[in-house]
Amino acid sequence: MTVRLVRRPGPGRRRTPLRRKIAALAAATALLVVAAVGVLVHVWTAHDIRSRGEARALNTLYAAMDVHRRTGVLTDGAELDPGDLPAALRAPGDGERHLFHDDRVEGNVGPSAWAAQRTGGPDSPVLAVQVNLNPDFSNLSRLDAAMAVASLLALVAATPLAVYGAGLLARRLGRVAETAARISAGDLDARSGPTKGDDEVADIAATVDRMADSLALRLRTERRFTADVAHELRTPVGGLLAATDLLPPGENEDLLRARVRDLRALVEDLLEISRLDAGAEEPVRVRVPLGAVVAEAVSRTGLGTGVTDLTEGADGTGDGVARTVETDPRRLERIVGNLVVNAHRHGGAPVRVTVDGRTVVVRDHGPGFPPGLLAHGPRRFHTGARERGSGHGLGLTIAFGQARVLGAELRLANAPDGGAVATLRLPG
C-alpha cells in the first residue's frame, strides 16, 4: 500500500555513495602525503648531492693546489684556465678558493661542482677542478622512480582497505538513515537499536531512537486526546441537536440547527480519525461496479460535479464494459465524497470526476494545492493556504486514512494549466 504526495519535478542529481566519497578522500590524502614526502626527499637528496659535490671539489682543489705549488704538476683532473670554466670563476678577485654550481649538461657531463683558485698573484692563472655530479643525479632519478612505484603500490593496497572501512561506516549510517526514513513515513515503531562502535554514528543512532520514542509518545497522547474529546462531545452535541427540535420554527432555529449539525459532523470526523489512528478499521470487501459507486458518492454530496466513466464509454472512448472492483464501497464513497467536497470548498469550478479502469481522478480549476500540503501532506485543522478557503482540514486526512485501509494509492498534484488533481488508484 502506498499513499504518496506528488511534487513538481526538480533538476535531477546523481547521488554519490558515502563510501565512494570517503574512499576518494582517503586516496586523495594518500596521494597528497606521497607527493609531499616525494618532494621533500627529492629536495633534500638534491641538496645533499650538491653539498657533497662542492666538498669534493674543494678537497680536490686543495690537494691539487698543494702539489702544483710544490712540483708544478697538475693532478686529480685539475686544469689551468680551462676553456669551459664558468665566467664567475675566470677572474677571482683574491687568492681564496671559490665554488660554483654549473647546471649545464654536455654529453656525459651533467651538473657539475667547480672549485677554482689563483695559483699566485692577481695576474696568475686560475687552477680549477670540476666534479661531475651526473652519476649522483642519475641515482636521484632512479630514487624518484622507485618512490613513485612504491607509492603507487602502497596506494593500490590502501585503497581497498579505505573502501572496506568506508563501507562499514556507510552501512552503519545507512541503517540509521533507513530508520529515520521509516519514522518520517509514519512508522514510529522503527528503531536502529544498539549500534556497534562507541563513536558519533552510535550517538546519532541513539538520538534517532530517542527522537522516535518522543514522537511516538506525543502522537499517542494527541490521538488519545482527540478520541477522548470526540467521545465526550458526542453526547452533549446529540442533546443540543435534540433540543433544537423544541425551538419554535423560524430563521434562528434553522441557523442554530445548521450549526449544531456542523458540530456533530466535526465530532463524527474526529471519531473516525481516532479509529483510523488506532488501526481499528477493517474493510469489508465486495465486488461492485466502480463507476456506479463513484457516481453515487458524487450525487450524495449534492454539489454540481460532472462524472465521466471512461470504462463504460460515456464519452465514446471506453469499451462499453462496466469495470467492477473488489473493495469496501462505504469507504470508497467516503474517500470520493471527501475529495469532491474538498474540491468545491477549497478549489474552483468546474469540478470533474473521471473513472478510468481502477483509477478515480478528482480535478478542480482553483488555485491548486499549496506547496506545504504537497510537501508534507494534509494536517488536521489546517487548510494549507488562505486562498484555499476555510474548513477544518479533516477531509483530506480522512481520505488518506481510508485509502490506507483499502490498500489504495492516493496522490495529490497540481495540473500544469492550474487546478488541484487528486488521483485514487485502487489495488488490482
Side-chain angles (χ1 to χ4, degrees), residues 28-100:
T29 303
L31 285 175
L32 181 61
V33 171
V34 166
V37 172
V39 170
L40 289 176
V41 170
H42 178 89
V43 171
W44 180 87
T45 304
H47 178 74
D48 182 65
I49 290 173
R50 290 187 179 92
S51 298
R52 288 187 289 109
E54 292 171 354
R56 285 167 51 195
L58 286 174
N59 292 336
T60 302
L61 177 63
Y62 179 81
M65 181 64 74
D66 182 64
V67 172
H68 178 70
R69 285 176 176 173
R70 287 188 292 105
T71 64
V73 177
L74 298 176
T75 60
D76 298 324
E79 297 181 60
L80 291 174
D81 293 328
D84 54 351
L85 182 66
L89 301 179
R90 288 189 177 277
D94 52 31
E96 301 296 326
R97 290 187 293 273
H98 295 272
L99 285 170
F100 183 81

Side-chain angles (χ1 to χ4, degrees), residues 91-174:
D94 52 31
E96 301 296 326
R97 290 187 293 273
H98 295 272
L99 285 170
F100 183 81
H101 185 80
D102 188 2
D103 289 321
R104 293 177 299 174
V105 178
E106 297 179 0
N108 294 327
V109 179
S112 303
W114 287 86
Q117 183 180 8
R118 287 195 181 277
T119 56
D123 297 327
S124 61
V126 176
L127 181 66
V129 173
Q130 180 184 20
V131 176
N132 185 14
L133 303 180
N134 190 51
D136 296 323
F137 279 104
S138 297
N139 292 334
L140 176 59
S141 300
R142 287 191 289 270
L143 175 63
D144 291 340
M147 288 188 61
V149 173
S151 300
L152 290 176
L153 292 177
L155 183 62
V156 169
T159 299
L161 295 177
V163 172
Y164 175 74
L168 293 179
L169 177 61
R171 281 192 290 273
R172 295 172 61 200
L173 289 174

Side-chain angles (χ1 to χ4, degrees), residues 173-319:
L173 289 174
R175 181 180 175 185
V176 178
E178 180 182 357
T179 301
R182 290 172 57 191
I183 294 172
S184 176
D187 183 8
L188 296 183
D189 294 327
R191 296 294 184 275
S192 299
T195 303
K196 295 180 180 179
D198 186 13
D199 53 19
E200 288 82 356
V201 178
D203 294 340
I204 293 174
T207 302
V208 170
D209 288 348
R210 288 195 299 271
M211 177 191 68
D213 292 337
S214 176
L215 289 175
L217 177 60
R218 293 187 180 186
L219 185 59
R220 284 194 297 268
T221 302
E222 176 188 339
R223 289 174 176 175
R224 189 181 304 113
F225 175 77
T226 302
D228 292 344
V229 169
H231 280 290
E232 292 297 327
L233 288 177
R234 195 173 193 180
T235 299
V237 169
L240 283 175
L241 189 60
T244 57
D245 295 334
L246 303 178
L247 296 175
E251 181 179 353
N252 292 334
E253 186 268 343
D254 293 338
L255 180 62
L256 181 59
R257 183 184 295 273
R259 292 296 179 266
V260 173
R261 285 175 177 171
D262 290 342
L263 182 58
R264 185 178 65 175
L266 173 61
V267 172
E268 294 298 329
D269 286 346
L270 289 174
L271 287 172
E272 183 175 359
I273 288 175
S274 66
R275 291 193 300 270
L276 291 171
D277 288 342
E281 296 287 279
E282 292 291 338
V284 179
R285 301 182 186 275
V286 294
R287 184 160 289 279
V288 294
L290 179 59
V293 174
V294 171
E296 177 67 17
V298 172
S299 66
R300 287 184 179 181
T301 64
L303 302 172
T305 306
V307 180
T308 302
D309 188 355
L310 299 180
T311 59
E312 293 187 350
D315 62 349
T317 61
D319 53 15

